[in-house]
Each structure stands twice: as structure tokens, then as C-alpha cells.
Amino acid sequence: MTKKFYRADKGKGMKIEERLDRLMKLREQARLGGGKDRIAAQHKKGRKTARERLELLLDEGSFEEIDVFKAHRCNRFGMEKKINPGDGVVSGHGTINGRIVFVYAQDFTVNGGSLSETNAEKICKIMDMAIKNGAPVIGLVDSGGARIQEGIESLAGYSNIFFRNVMASGVIPQISVIMGPCAGGAVYSPALTDFSIMVRENSYMFLTGPKVVKSVTHENVSEEDLGGAAMHASKSGVIHYGADSEEDAIMYIKALISFLPQNNAESPPVLMTDDPVDRAEEQLNQLIPNNTMMAYDIKDVIHLTADNGDFHEVQPEFAGNVVVGFARYGGMPVGIVANQPKVLAGVLDCNASVKAARFIRFCDCFNVPIVSLVDVPGFLPGTAQEYAGVIRHGAKLMYAYAEATVPKITIVTRKNYGGAYCVMSSKHLRGDMNYAWPTAEIAVMGAKGASEILYGREAKKSNDPAKFVQDKEQEYIDTFLTPYQAAERGYVDDIIEPKTTRLRIIKALGLLKNKKDSNPLKKHGNIPL
Ligand code: HXC
């Protein structure tokens, strides 16, 4: 590293060849970041460099770098001797499958990818351009955090990024991938973006590291257990995907981007499909077990109905009792929200409510229609849930469905009880097309509970209380545990043969293509956070 990374101009006497040579050399210097040794050290950790990552992410030859020569201005703690062109972040734009994206990748080989004032200015410039030009922004994070030698300037830089994350929210899709360290307040940028991805066993994300944790709470915890991908993907729900490798993380982003519009004024991209629109799936007619207490996999419904069975799941390891992700029907992207009978019987709890609510709000921001597959016995009872605020979290899900104005298609496959009936994209929350399979049970509650409440006292007086309740249970099942009462009221638009589900979804999407709906004028609502 030199005091200045460029030589003073020789002035008028300098030939064009010399000038070009100098330019090439400076570019080469920038390309090497912190130098060969630090690149080797990065590789030794099983990590790629910022430029290698961008090469993998973007279409070949599409990357145009911006601010290659931008340098920091700090002259404290010897920093005047540590100046690199680009200053620890590589930023610019390129394309993914021909569509423009703005990108930045922190370069750990330069001052540990730490965030300086000028480094933050580069990121902010990219974000401003992305907002102005209506294209997604993708950040690849690998940084020691605030540039310690700069102090408050670095913190100001972070704050400027966070502010832009908030301004860009709902305007352009924002994606973060954590490919190395991400600690302290730096975590708030990924947390503010729409999707965050981490690379397993080679990245971590926490507010305070193990040493601080030890001194404050006396806990002994490793970096991986405190803030590794496995923990965030399954426990905290902070991230949306734990990737097995950097390549896997990048594949995930590319697939994700393929479902999304460039910005909130566009529709999501429709692709040609060779999967027949009217493909009927006999298996769907047999999917629901005769015993309604038995589980089945709701993902079978998704795989059997979506184009070519493709489903891009979001947060697959977190709150598995609700499944969310993207698929296409007749080439049209949709967001799927599905209760999962295989996990906790598909019950809604705090985590499932928040997971689904955030996903629904993303879809609504970006004009992605929502298909809800409903098989839900209700909200999870118990002190653990009540103490954790299941009312507040369930209300978020209610709020998200109610405010969403994108096309909303609902298919009730089986249980749809109580408060969960109201929440899960019901007609009353502006569900556009609500269908039920003949196996649907749309009621206030399950038969056993209902009969015990209604007939418990009478049963005790009868000769055979168990039989008495059983008979009443059957009466309740015949009366309410069907889709017909809801259909009589128009709360479901039709009762459909399960095998025709794909066709019905595609037809509904076509019907709702030009749907217009809005909410009362307001600054913003007050979702129960
Ligand atoms: C300046 C930094 C730096 C930082 C690393 N480096 N972090 N320089 N500011 N924050 C430099 C190192 O001095 C070193 O420079 C090079 O990057 C590589 O770092 P190493 O320590 O050699 O690498 P490694 O062993 O892999 O350890 C990586 C690390 C460690 C775990 C990230 O560097 C570390 O603990 N850094 C500090 C993390 C931290 O506390 N950051 C502040 C968090 S608070 P040389 O020249 O020797 O190669 C924060 C507040 C944000 O970020 C608030 C926002 C609102």
C-alpha cells in the first residue's frame, strides 16, 4: 500500500500510451484488492473474493464497476499509509439473466472489508441509483464492521445505508448475502432488506460477539452457535436461507430474482411454460387421508399444481408449520402461503404468523399475487404462546392479508377453524377467489371440542356419557365439518375437484390480472409490531 495509490500527473507532456498504461495498472491494483497474500488468506478460509463473487452472480461480462478509484480520507492511526483504490467495497451494476441489478460486495482483503465513510458513500451511491432506476440491489457482506480508525464517520456511513434500506423498502427488491463476518450494528442493513441469505459454517451475524456475551451474561458460546447460518435459519428467523456454499447462495439469489419484478411499479416477469394449463392430477383427489387427524404434506399440493412442480421455498427451516415461497402457474409468478399439516398439524403460532405476514407484505409491495393453501386447526394454545404474544403476532398476519391488494386466491384443502379461518385469506379480508375442496371443514372449531362444550353437562346426566358425546360429535361433523355452510353463504366461491386445482388457480390469475383495489388514504398503517 502506498500513501497515494496514483502517481502525480506529469502534466501536458504525458503521452496517451502512458496515460492508458497508468489506467490499466491502477485498475489491476484495484482488482487485487488487499494483495495476493490477503487473497490467498481469504481462499484459505474457503471464501471467495468480492470480485470472484460478483463474477459468479452476474451475467458474464455484464459487470460495470463504479467508483473503482474512490479512496478513504482518514489520516489517523496510520491510515494515510493504507490506501487502496476502491477502499474495501466493489460496487456497480450488471445483469442477471439479462435484467439489471445494482450490486456491492465488501472486500475483506482491504482493511477487513470494514466500513469507512467513503466506503459507505459508494454503497449509498449504488442504492440511490437502484432506487432512481428501479432495479433490485444486492449486497454481499463480508466485513469487520465499522472502520475502527474512523470512529463516528463510519457510524454515520452505516446510518446513511440504513436510511436508504428503509427508503428503498417496498420500492425495489433488496437482497443481502452474508459471506463472512457481519457484527455489531452492521447487522441492521441485512435485517432491513427483503431477503437475507447466509453461507453455512463460514459466516456469522450477531450484535455482540462471544467475548462480550461471556463478559455480560457469563455464557460460553461459539460464533457458530451464537450467530451462524444454522441458528439464524432455524431459530431466530433472521435469515431466509442457509446456503451450503457461496455458489449455492448465489444460485438461490438468481432463482429468487427470476420471480420478482424490477420495482414496485412493474409486474413480476411472466415466463413461457410447456406445462399444460389444464393438467389434472388424479393424486390430488386421493391426497387427504380419510382420518382427518392424519397428516399429509402440503408441499405435494404445491409440487403437483405449480408449473413443472417447481417451488422456490423461503425460510424452509423456520416455522415449518407454515410454508412460504414462490412458484409459477401458467408462467405467472405467485407467492404461496400454505399451512403444513405435517408440522404441528399446521397450527398457527407466533413464528408462523410473523413468517407468513412478512412474506405476504413483500408480495403485496411487489405485485406478486398470493395463493393460500389452507389446512389449519387454529392458533396454538398454551402459556408459552400467550406469553410470547401470539395475539399480537397473529394480528400481524391478519393485518398483512387484510391490507394486501394483490390478487388473492385461497384454496381450503381441509381444516379451516375459528380465528384461523378469518385470518387465512378469507373472503372477509378481501380474498378474491376462495375455493374449497370437498374435504374442507370450515367451522368454528373441531367436532370433539365443540360437542364437549355444547353437550358436556347433558352427557354427564345420560346413561352412557361417552356415547352421548360421540353421537353429538357426529351430528356436528355432518352439519359443520364440510365446505357447504360456507358455500351457502358465498364465503367460498366454489367447491372444486382437487385434481382441477392447477387449472382453477391459473384461470383465477388470468381473471384477476387487471384487478384494481386500494386502501383508504393514509400516511401508513400501524401494524401491531
Ligand atoms: C478496521 C479492521 C476491522 C475494523 C478488521 N480489520 N476489522 N480494520 N476496522 N473494524 C482489519 C484488521 O486490522 C486486519 O488488518 C484485517 O482487517 C483482517 O483482520 P484480521 O483480524 O486479521 O482477520 P480475522 O482474523 O479473519 O478476523 C476477522 C474479524 C476481526 C473477526 C472480523 O478482524 C475483528 O474482530 N474485527 C473487529 C470487529 C469489530 O469489533 N468491529 C466493530 C464492530 S462494531 P491488517 O492490515 O492487519 O491485515 C460496529 C458498529 C457498527 O461495527 C454500528 C453501526 C450502527
Side-chain angles (χ1 to χ4, degrees), residues 389-412:
V390 68
I391 298 172
R392 190 162 51 86
H393 297 303
K396 289 176 191 166
L397 183 54
M398 181 87 76
Y399 195 108
Y401 265 128
E403 74 172 345
T405 54
V406 286
K408 290 185 281 194
I409 300 161
T410 314
I411 317 274
V412 183

Side-chain angles (χ1 to χ4, degrees), residues 38 45 82 111-112 114 144-149 155 158 204:
R38 285 192 174 85
K45 287 182 205 154
K82 282 182 151 189
N111 299 314
S114 56
R147 175 88 44 95
I148 294 166
Q149 297 90 334
L155 295 189
Y158 267 121
Y204 56 82

Side-chain angles (χ1 to χ4, degrees), residues 433-502:
M433 299 309 299
N434 290 52
Y435 299 121
W437 286 4
T439 43
E441 303 170 0
I442 305 176
V444 172
M445 64 195 301
K448 198 166 179 338
S451 319
E452 276 166 8
I453 292 168
L454 291 179
Y455 297 107
R457 200 174 301 163
E458 273 184 67
K460 273 188 206 146
K461 287 189 214 150
S462 75
N463 296 336
D464 186 347
K467 170 140 189 354
F468 189 91
V469 170
Q470 216 172 20
D471 289 348
K472 291 296 176 190
E473 222 178 292
Q474 194 53 49
E475 190 184 330
Y476 184 91
I477 290 169
D478 296 341
T479 314
F480 288 134
L481 294 196
T482 73
Y484 293 101
Q485 206 209 7
E488 272 178 29
R489 298 285 179 277
Y491 300 157
V492 295
D493 296 294
D494 200 3
I495 300 168
I496 64 172
E497 198 178 347
K499 72 176 185 185
T500 64
T501 300
R502 171 173 164 79

Side-chain angles (χ1 to χ4, degrees), residues 374-424:
V374 181
D375 187 346
V376 58
F379 281 93
L380 185 61
T383 51
Q385 286 293 307
E386 294 289 356
Y387 294 175
V390 68
I391 298 172
R392 190 162 51 86
H393 297 303
K396 289 176 191 166
L397 183 54
M398 181 87 76
Y399 195 108
Y401 265 128
E403 74 172 345
T405 54
V406 286
K408 290 185 281 194
I409 300 161
T410 314
I411 317 274
V412 183
T413 58
R414 191 170 60 176
K415 293 173 193 170
N416 196 6
Y417 296 163
Y421 159 78
C422 308
V423 169
M424 287 302 299

Side-chain angles (χ1 to χ4, degrees), residues 22 53 63 72 80 111 189 204 213 217 230 250 252 265-266 383 446 518:
R22 179 173 68 164
R53 288 165 176 164
F63 181 52
H72 72 73
E80 64 281 2
N111 299 314
S189 180
Y204 56 82
V213 170
T217 68
I250 280 167
Y252 189 85
E266 288 186 9
T383 51
S518 60

Side-chain angles (χ1 to χ4, degrees), residues 41-334:
Q42 180 80 347
H43 287 159
K44 211 167 157 199
K45 287 182 205 154
R47 295 183 189 148
K48 295 188 192 304
T49 64
R51 282 190 168 74
E52 287 165 348
R53 288 165 176 164
L54 290 175
E55 250 169 56
L56 268 182
L57 176 68
L58 301 170
D59 295 340
E60 205 181 332
S62 71
F63 181 52
E64 270 195 36
E65 194 169 343
I66 291 176
D67 287 338
V68 188
F69 303 117
K70 193 162 170 116
H72 72 73
R73 298 183 280 263
C74 177
N75 53 16
R76 292 183 289 257
F77 300 101
M79 282 308 284
E80 64 281 2
K81 296 193 197 94
K82 282 182 151 189
I83 299 182
N84 276 71
D87 195 29
V89 65
V90 182
S91 60
H93 55 85
T95 58
I96 294 179
N97 292 322
R99 298 166 72 213
I100 292 172
V101 291
F102 287 84
V103 288
Y104 68 88
Q106 292 174 321
D107 183 354
F108 192 84
T109 68
V110 178
N111 299 314
S114 56
L115 193 108
S116 66
E117 180 193 32
T118 51
N119 176 310
E121 283 168 1
K122 284 181 71 171
I123 296 175
C124 288
K125 188 194 258 190
I126 287 301
M127 295 177 80
D128 288 341
M129 288 175 82
I131 296 170
K132 208 181 281 182
N133 295 293
V137 66
I138 301 169
L140 308 183
V141 177
D142 186 357
S143 166
R147 175 88 44 95
I148 294 166
Q149 297 90 334
E150 291 200 7
I152 191 71
E153 286 147 11
S154 164
L155 295 189
Y158 267 121
S159 309
N160 290 333
I161 294 170
F162 303 156
F163 175 72
R164 280 162 180 79
N165 284 133
V166 175
M167 291 300 108
S169 180
V171 180
I172 50 168
Q174 301 182 79
I175 300 170
S176 313
V177 193
I178 292 91
M179 294 177 144
C182 181
V187 297
Y188 286 114
S189 180
L192 286 165
T193 59
D194 298 303
F195 299 100
S196 35
I197 295 146
M198 284 179 80
V199 179
R200 286 180 195 280
E201 286 161 26
N202 220 349
S203 67
Y204 56 82
M205 201 182 173
F206 36 63
L207 276 174
T208 46
K211 280 187 196 145
V212 177
V213 170
K214 169 95 179 137
S215 69
V216 177
T217 68
H218 309 294
E219 281 172 286
N220 279 312
V221 65
S222 66
E223 281 177 347
E224 180 62 21
D225 287 347
L226 184 64
M231 189 288 285
H232 281 308
S234 62
K235 282 198 172 86
S236 71
V238 164
I239 65 162
H240 298 83
Y241 182 64
D244 289 333
S245 61
E246 295 194 5
E247 287 85 350
D248 184 29
I250 280 167
M251 293 285 286
Y252 189 85
I253 303 179
K254 288 187 183 192
L256 188 59
I257 284 278
S258 77
F259 291 98
L260 311 182
Q262 291 291 90
N263 56 62
N264 64 341
E266 288 186 9
S267 299
V270 177
L271 297 186
M272 295 286 284
T273 178
D274 53 8
D275 194 348
V277 163
D278 60 353
R279 175 168 55 80
E281 287 291 350
E282 207 58 52
Q283 274 185 69
L284 289 173
N285 281 3
Q286 312 303 327
L287 192 71
I288 306 294
N290 285 336
N291 178 351
T292 63
M293 302 304 281
M294 273 176 67
Y296 63 96
D297 191 347
I298 200 70
K299 288 190 205 171
D300 287 345
V301 180
I302 303 171
H303 291 302
L304 286 167
T305 56
D307 289 356
N308 306 114
D310 289 339
F311 178 49
H312 189 69
E313 193 169 353
V314 171
Q315 291 196 301
E317 295 172 67
F318 182 69
N321 37 335
V322 73
V323 172
V324 302
F326 298 98
R328 286 190 183 79
Y329 284 84
M332 290 172 274
V334 302

